[in-house]
Amino acid sequence: MLDVKKLIMLRTVAAEGSIAAAGRALSYTRSAVSQQLTALEADAGVPLVNRAGNKITLTPTGQALVEHAERILVELRAAETMLTGNGAVNGLLRVGVPFREGPKIMSRALSEARRRFPDLEIRLVAVTDEDGPEQVRRDRIDLAIVSRYGAVHPRPAPTLGLREWVLSHDPLRLCVPAGHPLAAKRNCSMQDLRDEPWVMCTGTEFGRLTTSLCTAAGIEPRLAATVKDVGTALGLVEIGWGITIAPLLTPAASEAAIARLAIDGVEIVRHNILITRDGEQFSPPIAAAVAAVRAISADLPHANAETAPRAT
């Protein structure tokens, strides 16, 4: 029978990309990881990894085995939760949040959770949309909120090893300074923005999406600033540095300093997703936080009513 610890080792090697990195993640020596990996391949009777210098990739059989390992870990986490859970909402809860992104679902919900459960220690960790799910999967954090972009009615594919809830939806809006000629309008077209200075979040999924919208409209955006997050971009819009595109519920320091306009033909919305490891959603601290976050998100009718999404 395959050893679960060896399967976890293979999963970690696959995630980290090298034996040395897997050893650091698991607090094992490099030689111990290598020996366990060799032993697992002997148990399996087929190669599970491809070694190329310091880098390791999985063979098709290795990848299939990792997928089985993910399903096994879901059941093990659920069993541990059942055995160790005494119903008390206490201990440490590590929560990944995009600090300068919105909406402020997580901060409101976790403040309420802290009020209700004073014995629960909540530690916030900065994450991005790109790395949040992997941080949860690797047990570096317990919960995360991330954003995904797409159609109003998404058809999310299940993510192996993770449990997800769609919290809210908000459409993309053009954001301009309050004194901008477009500020008094309700909507605009991408063609109206051809000669505008842009503030863009380069190097992120959302930045690539904004660039693709410009490209589809035949616009070569004139960059006034490149930043790492939408919150910073809105701050520059407030002082008149340029324009940007942002989800409707992303908060600005001063809403009176900016105007938000619908963009003709752009029906992309942001989906705010809550993520935890599958099997751990019944742990009292995680269950309490999930319930609080979902309850707070239900009280955000503005964008939900505007986009009329399907309930999830």
Side-chain angles (χ1 to χ4, degrees), residues 293-311:
V293 172
R294 297 185 73 192
I296 289 293
S297 68
D299 291 333
L300 294 173
H302 331 293
N304 288 349
E306 182 174 343
T307 57
R310 181 172 53 198

Side-chain angles (χ1 to χ4, degrees), residues 166-204:
V166 179
L167 299 174
S168 63
H169 316 252
D170 54 330
L172 302 189
R173 290 291 181 258
L174 175 71
C175 299
V176 301
H180 193 280
L182 291 174
K185 296 187 176 182
R186 293 179 57 86
N187 61 288
C188 67
S189 72
M190 289 296 295
Q191 295 302 323
D192 295 331
L193 314 176
R194 184 174 295 278
D195 299 320
E196 295 286 343
W198 283 81
V199 181
M200 285 194 172
C201 306
T202 55
T204 68

Side-chain angles (χ1 to χ4, degrees), residues 18 28 37 42 45 71 130 152 155 214 219 223 244 282 300 303:
S18 73
Y28 289 162
L37 197 55
R71 288 189 283 270
E130 288 77 15
V152 174
R155 299 190 177 203
C214 291
I219 296 174
L223 293 180
T244 196
F282 302 114
L300 294 173

Side-chain angles (χ1 to χ4, degrees), residues 18-273:
S18 73
I19 289 177
R24 289 191 294 270
L26 295 170
S27 299
Y28 289 162
T29 65
R30 188 184 188 284
S31 61
V33 175
S34 183
Q35 290 170 11
Q36 291 290 308
L37 197 55
T38 299
L40 179 59
E41 288 187 307
D43 292 340
V46 294
L48 301 175
V49 299
N50 298 310
R51 295 171 173 84
N54 292 327
K55 294 293 183 182
I56 282 187
T57 58
L58 297 182
T59 65
T61 302
Q63 181 60 48
L65 198 54
V66 166
E67 292 177 3
H68 282 293
E70 290 285 3
R71 288 189 283 270
I72 291 168
L73 288 174
V74 169
E75 296 302 324
L76 286 175
R77 286 193 290 263
E80 288 175 349
T81 297
M82 177 192 69
L83 292 173
T84 61
N86 57 7
V89 181
N90 55 26
L92 175 65
L93 185 69
R94 303 160 299 170
V95 182
V97 294
F99 283 115
R100 291 189 60 83
E101 305 290 337
K104 296 181 178 178
I105 298 171
M106 188 63 89
S107 60
R108 291 169 57 190
L110 294 181
S111 294
E112 177 63 15
R114 290 177 71 183
R115 186 189 68 79
R116 292 183 188 177
F117 309 108
D119 293 332
L120 180 62
E121 178 187 354
I122 298 176
R123 180 184 301 165
L124 301 182
V125 180
V127 299
T128 67
D129 294 337
E130 288 77 15
D131 68 20
E134 193 60 23
Q135 296 255 35
V136 173
R137 188 194 303 278
R138 297 190 192 188
D139 196 22
R140 293 175 179 170
I141 55 178
D142 302 302
L143 292 172
I145 279 187
V146 299
S147 298
R148 294 185 187 140
Y149 300 89
V152 174
H153 300 303
R155 299 190 177 203
T159 305
L160 194 62
L162 299 177
R163 175 63 63 94
E164 302 182 353
W165 295 266
V166 179
L167 299 174
S168 63
H169 316 252
D170 54 330
L172 302 189
R173 290 291 181 258
L174 175 71
C175 299
V176 301
H180 193 280
L182 291 174
K185 296 187 176 182
R186 293 179 57 86
N187 61 288
C188 67
S189 72
M190 289 296 295
Q191 295 302 323
D192 295 331
L193 314 176
R194 184 174 295 278
D195 299 320
E196 295 286 343
W198 283 81
V199 181
M200 285 194 172
C201 306
T202 55
T204 68
E205 177 191 354
F206 185 67
R208 291 186 287 273
L209 173 60
T210 303
T211 300
S212 70
L213 290 174
C214 291
T215 300
I219 296 174
E220 180 68 33
R222 178 164 61 91
L223 293 180
T226 58
V227 297
K228 293 183 178 180
D229 61 82
V230 180
T232 301
L234 286 177
L236 290 175
V237 172
E238 289 178 46
I239 65 172
W241 200 258
I243 67 170
T244 196
I245 292 176
L248 179 63
L249 294 180
T250 302
S254 173
E255 288 295 333
I258 65 171
R260 302 182 192 245
L261 294 74
I263 308 170
D264 296 340
V266 176
E267 298 181 354
I268 299 170
V269 300
R270 172 177 63 175
H271 306 286
N272 298 292
I273 312 293

